[in-house]
Amino acid sequence: MIKVLFFAQTREQVGVDFVMVDADNISADTLREQLCEKGNEWSQALQSGKLLVAINQDMVQMDTVVKSGDEVAFFPPVTGG
């Protein structure tokens, strides 16, 4: 299982803080694509090229492989604080 976290506007659009996904050895972008299949709000919130991704709290590229047990976070490039 992969824990997928959402932050800022992305979290507001999908309506949840996190989801658990049963997947292993897929790219972060493939994970994003799978989540987009959950509906229109998801596909809008997780548009390609409009997100940053971190795996286990390290910033990575979308082609980075995600493994079972990892924590993935999707968030917009600019977040207020």
Side-chain angles (χ1 to χ4, degrees), residues 1-3 20-23 67-70:
M1 295 292 280
I2 297 169
K3 184 175 186 177
M20 300 298 290
V21 177
D22 189 12
K67 300 180 219 79
S68 184
D70 283 346

Side-chain angles (χ1 to χ4, degrees), residues 19 24 29 34 37 47 65 68 70-71 77 79:
V19 294
D24 190 28
D29 197 49
Q34 289 179 1
E37 294 174 5
Q47 288 180 33
V65 174
S68 184
D70 283 346
E71 179 184 83
T79 58

Side-chain angles (χ1 to χ4, degrees), residues 6-76:
F6 306 101
F7 292 96
Q9 182 181 5
T10 305
R11 177 177 55 203
E12 292 171 13
Q13 288 180 292
V14 299
V16 296
D17 294 336
F18 73 93
V19 294
M20 300 298 290
V21 177
D22 189 12
D24 190 28
N25 291 319
I26 61 173
S27 71
D29 197 49
T30 299
L31 177 61
R32 182 198 61 76
E33 289 171 353
Q34 289 179 1
L35 291 169
C36 284
E37 294 174 5
K38 293 174 81 61
N40 190 44
E41 295 85 7
W42 290 79
S43 62
Q44 287 183 13
L46 300 171
Q47 288 180 33
S48 180
K50 295 190 176 186
L51 290 175
L52 296 175
V53 62
I55 298 176
N56 300 323
Q57 300 182 2
D58 289 323
M59 296 293 297
V60 297
Q61 298 297 315
M62 283 288 186
D63 62 353
T64 303
V65 174
V66 183
K67 300 180 219 79
S68 184
D70 283 346
E71 179 184 83
V72 177
F74 289 113
F75 50 95

